[in-house]
Amino acid sequence: METNVFDQLAKEYDTNERIELAKIIASAVQTECQNSQSKTLFDYGCGTGLVGLTLTSLVEHVLLIDASEPMLDIVREKIKRTNIHNAEVIHSNFLQNSKTKKADILLVSLVLLHIPDTKKILKFFYEILNPQGKIILVDFDKNEKINHPKVHNGFTDLEIKSLLMEVGFKNINKKTFHHGKNIFMKEDSSLFLATGIK
């Protein structure tokens, strides 16, 4: 069994840089979650909940899902400490998760770059969304300076839009919302937010 690198990172994950970046991402995502008080949101690959936990006041229920138990321990601690009543934690290795639970909104923030088969995971996301459900993808724009065997070097407009369309999403939008220094493997990079409706 390959060790999960995020298990080892968990305790040191919430650095000032990550917290600052999460605030920027959360702000962009919150705009996409307006008028969602009756909706269920899944934060897939939630990490320590830096983005997902900021959305609990905007939706009825938040499900924070991650493959790293130590990351989720930190999320549980935050939920308890801040007395959040509408958030739940699920340990799941993405595709092994049963499709019994359904989401109205699916947040996938800085996760896609770690997934080798992006089309397969997007198909899975499409299936766990309710009809008219919305996917919110946050990731890095393509960056040719980055070369890593286990990480995509970002995505172009065309790649993301084509992938979303191929698995069935409609009304696809994508916009770059942040340019930052050293934010992607120590390189300057930009972040995009893409949405699609089932």
Side-chain angles (χ1 to χ4, degrees), residues 10-12 14 46-50 53 64 68-85 87-90:
K11 284 198 173 14
E12 288 84 43
D14 289 3
C46 64
T48 59
L50 286 175
L53 289 174
L64 297 118
S68 166
E69 196 64 68
M71 288 281 199
L72 292 176
D73 285 340
I74 292 167
V75 179
R76 287 184 190 100
E77 201 180 291
K78 289 178 182 177
I79 289 171
K80 204 168 154 188
R81 195 175 63 233
T82 51
N83 214 7
I84 294 169
H85 297 293
E88 185 188 342
V89 170
I90 289 189

Side-chain angles (χ1 to χ4, degrees), residues 25-36 39 41 55 58-59 104-107 134-138 171 173-175 177 193-197:
I25 293 170
S27 174
V29 172
Q30 284 161 4
T31 308
E32 293 294 333
C33 294
Q34 301 303 320
N35 308 318
S36 300
K39 302 228 158 86
L41 180 138
L55 308 170
L58 298 174
V59 297
D104 300 306
I105 303 169
L106 191 52
L107 170 63
K134 179 186 207 175
I135 191 167
I136 303 171
L137 280 178
V138 175
N171 303 349
N173 284 302
K174 178 183 176 288
K175 61 177 186 278
F177 67 93
L193 186 150
T195 56
I197 304 294

Side-chain angles (χ1 to χ4, degrees), residues 107-171:
L107 170 63
V108 187
S109 177
L110 302 185
V111 171
L112 218 54
L113 75 155
H114 298 286
I115 311 274
D117 191 341
T118 44
K119 189 173 175 183
K120 185 177 177 184
I121 193 99
L122 286 171
K123 203 175 254 172
F124 169 73
F125 291 152
Y126 185 83
E127 284 169 21
I128 60 170
L129 274 170
N130 283 321
Q132 301 304 307
K134 179 186 207 175
I135 191 167
I136 303 171
L137 280 178
V138 175
D139 224 308
F140 291 105
D141 286 309
K142 184 71 110 184
N143 188 331
E144 299 299 349
K145 288 184 186 166
I146 288 161
N147 188 354
H148 189 282
K150 291 197 169 171
V151 177
H152 295 282
N153 63 349
F155 302 91
T156 65
D157 265 31
L158 188 61
E159 276 176 308
I160 283 297
K161 287 178 177 170
S162 302
L163 277 166
L164 288 170
M165 212 178 291
E166 278 173 44
V167 299
F169 285 102
K170 297 175 182 65
N171 303 349

